[in-house]
């Protein structure tokens, strides 16, 4: 095989292996769950519209039967996306209503909320 072609293949493989970790990280969210202001704001808006009537305005849970989202534990991103997409008990499923990016920004809003009790 021609040496320059072999170099090209090695370089392409390297690029793929470097790009892979980025592809699996949730959009706009770093591994340490640092949240950008843009995501937080977009999430706040979507939360207000789709979640607040059961979970409380500004995450202040009205003390009804719904889960207090201020107590959502850190590092449980996948569990969050799963419950929100598929529903749980009396919690409706949002997978057909919200786009994955919308669920991501709602998650960002919740985990960066100042009233959060981790
Ligand atoms: C119709 C009322 C209602 C709405 C609207 C609603 N939820 Fe819920 N949610 C609930 C109830 C009730 C529970 C408790 C479910 C249970 O544990 O049986 C819950 C639980 C949850 C939980 C915890 C699930 C777990 O794994 O224990 C999360 C996270 C959650 N909701 C997120 C959201 C988000 C995000 C939205 C907006 C997209 C939303 N909810 C909208 C009623 C609602």
């Amino acid at each position: 095989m021609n040496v320059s072609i072999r170099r090209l293949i090695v370089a392409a493989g390297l690029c793929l292996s470097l790009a892979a970790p980025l592809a699996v990280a949730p959009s706009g969210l770093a591994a340490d769950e640092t949240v950008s202001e843009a995501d937080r704001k977009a999430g706040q808006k979507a939360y207000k519209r789709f979640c607040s009537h059961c979970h409380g305005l500004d995450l202040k849970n009205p003390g009804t039967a719904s889960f207090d989202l201020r107590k959502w534990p850190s590092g449980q991103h996948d569990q969050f996306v799963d419950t929100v997409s598929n529903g749980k008990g009396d919690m409706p499923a949002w997978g057909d209503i919200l786009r994955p990016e919308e669920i991501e920004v709602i998650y960002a809003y919740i985990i960066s909320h100042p009233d959060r009790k981790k």
Side-chain angles (χ1 to χ4, degrees):
M1 194 191 288
N2 181 314
V3 174
S4 64
I5 291 181
R6 202 179 297 157
R7 275 210 192 111
L8 204 73
I9 292 172
V10 170
L14 242 176
C15 282
L16 279 179
S17 62
L18 287 175
L22 291 175
V24 295
S27 77
L29 195 66
D32 64 354
E33 303 206 317
T34 312
V35 169
S36 76
E37 183 58 13
D39 279 359
R40 196 194 65 75
K41 278 205 167 136
Q44 182 175 32
K45 220 168 146 186
Y47 174 88
K48 221 183 218 173
R49 183 157 170 214
F50 298 107
C51 321
S52 65
H53 50 287
C54 290
H55 288 283
L57 260 184
D58 200 29
L59 293 202
K60 288 186 178 64
N61 194 282
T64 47
S66 74
F67 181 86
D68 188 340
L69 289 171
R70 290 169 294 189
K71 295 183 185 154
W72 186 258
S74 300
Q76 299 295 317
H77 168 269
D78 295 353
Q79 169 74 38
F80 181 90
V81 172
D82 184 52
T83 305
V84 175
S85 305
N86 302 313
K88 181 182 177 186
D90 290 336
M91 156 85 170
W94 295 96
D96 291 339
I97 297 160
L98 297 175
R99 281 176 282 130
E101 313 87 81
E102 290 174 304
I103 297 179
E104 292 299 337
V105 293
I106 292 173
Y107 179 74
Y109 166 66
I110 290 169
I111 61 161
S112 63
H113 198 283
D115 291 349
R116 195 148 160 272
K117 311 153 190 156
K118 288 178 210 186

